[in-house]
Amino acid sequence: MTLFKRGDLTIDYLDPEAPYLHSWVTHPKAAFWMMQDTSPGEVAAEYRRIADHPHHHAYLGLYQGEPAFLAERYDPAHVELAGLFDAQPGDVGMHFLCAPTDTPVHGFTRTVITTVMAWLYDDPGVRRVVVEPDVRNTAVHALNAVVGFTVVGRIAKPEKDALLSICTREAFAAAVPA
């Protein structure tokens, strides 16, 4: 069942046992996912944990029908940012990861983040999208700015120093006209 479609990209439910997950999250380009040394069984267990969590969910993104990216949606009042910032009603947290490829498509990552944001804002209850990428992840900071995120500031999480950023529905609409 397709949850969301935009152009050649679709977002669907993720199978935690999907065999490609391990290679995606342990690839050198996925270093900021901090799963470099995990086994396939550990990756599957983590995604089963997410699937069973009431406030955190992972989704599969497809490009022209083929698995191409991950998207995670979470409630920042309960997961990732609980106690680290003042979550408001309508806040949703987001992570995304493009699959490694030998044939990169120019602009693909920007198209993915734009699609993930459009999907999140397809939910009328979402007022703001919140992200907390590693402060060293300059590539994702640049992408976040392109789709309307504003940096709130640095926060110390147990596993990383993060750059808390927020994108309102209005800022996304202004940055990425429909």
Side-chain angles (χ1 to χ4, degrees), residues 33-57:
W33 281 62
M34 296 173 283
M35 298 182 84
Q36 298 298 294
D37 298 322
T38 57
S39 69
E42 290 168 327
V43 169
E46 174 64 10
Y47 281 94
R48 280 193 305 272
R49 185 192 65 75
I50 291 170
D52 292 340
H53 200 285
H55 302 289
H56 191 179
H57 307 285

Side-chain angles (χ1 to χ4, degrees), residues 152-164:
V152 174
R154 289 174 76 124
I155 57 170
K157 294 185 67 192
E159 73 281 9
K160 66 183 177 185
D161 286 331
L163 198 61
L164 178 67

Side-chain angles (χ1 to χ4, degrees), residues 3 9 15 18 34 48 53 60-62 71 81 88 92 95 102 112 134 139 149-150 153 163 169:
L3 297 173
L9 300 182
D15 174 3
M34 296 173 283
R48 280 193 305 272
H53 200 285
L60 174 64
L62 300 117
L81 295 167
Q88 298 179 9
V92 64
H95 299 138
D102 294 330
V112 167
D134 191 293
F149 280 93
T150 299
L163 198 61
R169 180 181 291 274

Side-chain angles (χ1 to χ4, degrees), residues 4 10 18-19 22 32 48 50 57 86-87 101 118 120-121 123-127 131 140 148 154-155 160 165 172 177:
F4 187 79
T10 55
H22 180 261
F32 291 112
R48 280 193 305 272
I50 291 170
H57 307 285
D86 187 21
T101 181
L120 293 171
Y121 280 124
D123 177 344
V126 174
R127 293 183 48 230
V131 294
V140 86
R154 289 174 76 124
I155 57 170
K160 66 183 177 185
S165 301
F172 177 66

Side-chain angles (χ1 to χ4, degrees), residues 100-169:
T101 181
D102 294 330
T103 55
V105 174
H106 179 73
F108 183 74
T109 304
R110 181 177 177 168
T111 301
V112 167
I113 191 174
T114 301
T115 298
V116 170
M117 294 290 289
W119 166 61
L120 293 171
Y121 280 124
D122 195 48
D123 177 344
V126 174
R127 293 183 48 230
R128 304 187 311 174
V129 177
V130 181
V131 294
E132 29 65 49
D134 191 293
V135 295
R136 299 167 295 164
N137 194 346
T138 56
V140 86
H141 301 315
L143 281 169
N144 287 345
V146 166
V147 296
F149 280 93
T150 299
V151 174
V152 174
R154 289 174 76 124
I155 57 170
K157 294 185 67 192
E159 73 281 9
K160 66 183 177 185
D161 286 331
L163 198 61
L164 178 67
S165 301
I166 294 174
C167 181
T168 64
R169 180 181 291 274

